[in-house]
Amino acid sequence: VSFSDVIGLDEVKSQIYDKILYPRRYKELYKKFNKKVGGGILLYGPPGNGKTMIAKAIANETESTFFSIKFSDLGSKWFGETERKIKALFDEARKEESAVIFFDEIDSIASKRNNDTIANRMVAELLTQLDGINRSSGNVTVIAATNRPDILDRAIIRPGRFDEKIYVPLPDMQTRQLMFEKHLNGIPCQITSYVRLANNTEGFSGAEIEYVCEKAKQSVIRSIIAGAPENTNITEADIMRAISGVRVA
């Protein structure tokens, strides 16, 4: 996955270039201006709009080993086991020439501390490791994604940890049009107006637009299997029927 695979989101890409890619490519320039680098990135916004793809693209663009982590990978009822898992993760990442650690749904790992002892220990260990990363040589980049930034522990998102907070929005009109063009490119279809499709999917996530295209493809395939040779191309009507079956959150 590269940034060319991420449709739209130009402002998001621009912020990522400033935060991660340019400091690596222009080290002497950043040194000349004594520009502080490092710190993690928090990607937040509604689900299904490419936060995981963006993290993968960052790993690819920086030629980094990619570690994708969820709460189920770390949680344990045994005392100390969760902390050991977190420490082991960061230790493994540090061994790589370059690494990206991606915490998906970090709100399930680092929500505001309460009476949950395991969760509190998990947050504490994560904070320790993040501070260690910021004091190291900078070969590890930490990225997190959440749909609920409001429930994160404030210590996690203070400057020096996940200090860069980047909003990943729902696709706009032009981006939705480009998504339809991409998902329907190179297959039998007769679409006279991608603009109409984009107009009818306001409020849809990128994942929902992809789902609409897959449903339309399956409908035409089903017709061909059933022996309806007159319907061998995806049409706007097929897409519109699929759109009507998607419930927008």
Side-chain angles (χ1 to χ4, degrees):
V1 178
S2 68
F3 279 127
S4 62
D5 298 310
V6 180
I7 303 172
L9 299 178
D10 292 338
E11 177 59 29
V12 172
K13 294 175 188 176
S14 176
Q15 293 179 71
I16 289 170
Y17 269 83
D18 286 343
K19 179 68 175 179
I20 296 179
L21 300 182
Y22 287 155
R24 289 171 177 252
R25 294 178 184 177
Y26 304 102
K27 291 181 180 179
E28 292 303 316
L29 184 60
Y30 275 72
K31 184 177 180 181
K32 178 179 180 179
F33 282 88
N34 194 26
K35 176 68 177 74
K36 183 180 178 181
V37 297
I41 289 180
L42 178 68
L43 302 173
Y44 71 98
N49 291 300
K51 293 188 286 292
T52 300
M53 178 177 279
I54 290 167
K56 290 179 179 179
I58 292 172
N60 183 40
E61 296 282 350
T62 57
E63 299 181 340
S64 300
T65 302
F66 186 65
F67 296 82
S68 182
I69 308 299
K70 290 189 175 183
F71 173 77
S72 57
D73 300 320
L74 300 174
S76 174
K77 64 180 181 179
W78 304 110
F79 184 84
E81 181 63 19
T82 294
E83 299 94 300
R84 281 192 289 272
K85 286 183 177 182
I86 294 174
K87 183 178 183 302
L89 164 66
F90 279 84
D91 287 345
E92 284 298 312
R94 289 187 185 94
K95 294 176 184 177
E96 301 291 336
E97 185 174 338
S98 182
V100 168
I101 299 176
F102 174 59
F103 289 100
D104 195 9
E105 299 178 357
I106 193 172
D107 46 280
S108 64
I109 300 172
S111 56
K112 295 174 182 176
R113 280 172 278 191
N114 48 38
N115 294 326
D116 187 333
T117 305
I118 295 176
N120 292 345
R121 295 203 314 266
M122 185 182 294
V123 172
E125 181 61 30
L126 185 56
L127 293 174
T128 298
Q129 294 301 326
L130 288 171
D131 290 340
I133 287 293
N134 288 331
R135 291 193 299 268
S136 67
S137 59
N139 67 315
V140 180
T141 299
V142 185
I143 304 169
T146 181
N147 307 326
R148 294 289 311 279
D150 56 301
I151 66 173
L152 290 177
D153 191 291
R154 292 187 63 82
I156 285 283
I157 55 177
R158 74 158 177 75
R161 289 165 180 166
F162 291 109
D163 51 351
E164 193 73 29
K165 303 163 191 66
I166 301 177
Y167 179 64
V168 183
L170 289 166
D172 59 18
M173 168 72 178
Q174 183 181 13
T175 302
R176 295 195 301 274
Q177 181 179 337
L178 291 172
M179 285 178 171
F180 277 113
E181 292 176 1
K182 176 186 177 182
H183 294 311
L184 299 175
N185 181 50
I187 64 175
C189 66
Q190 294 177 332
I191 306 296
T192 58
S193 176
Y194 285 99
V195 173
R196 181 183 175 215
L197 301 181
N199 275 330
N200 280 276
T201 48
E202 183 175 358
F204 278 48
S205 69
E208 286 170 327
I209 290 174
E210 182 177 7
Y211 175 76
V212 162
C213 293
E214 291 302 308
K215 290 293 288 183
K217 293 174 187 177
Q218 187 59 52
S219 176
V220 173
I221 290 170
R222 190 186 306 119
S223 296
I224 294 172
I225 292 173
E230 72 280 358
N231 187 22
T232 59
N233 292 285
I234 295 174
T235 65
E236 285 179 47
D238 296 313
I239 299 292
M240 294 303 294
R241 278 194 295 271
I243 288 173
S244 67
V246 174
R247 185 176 181 180
V248 183

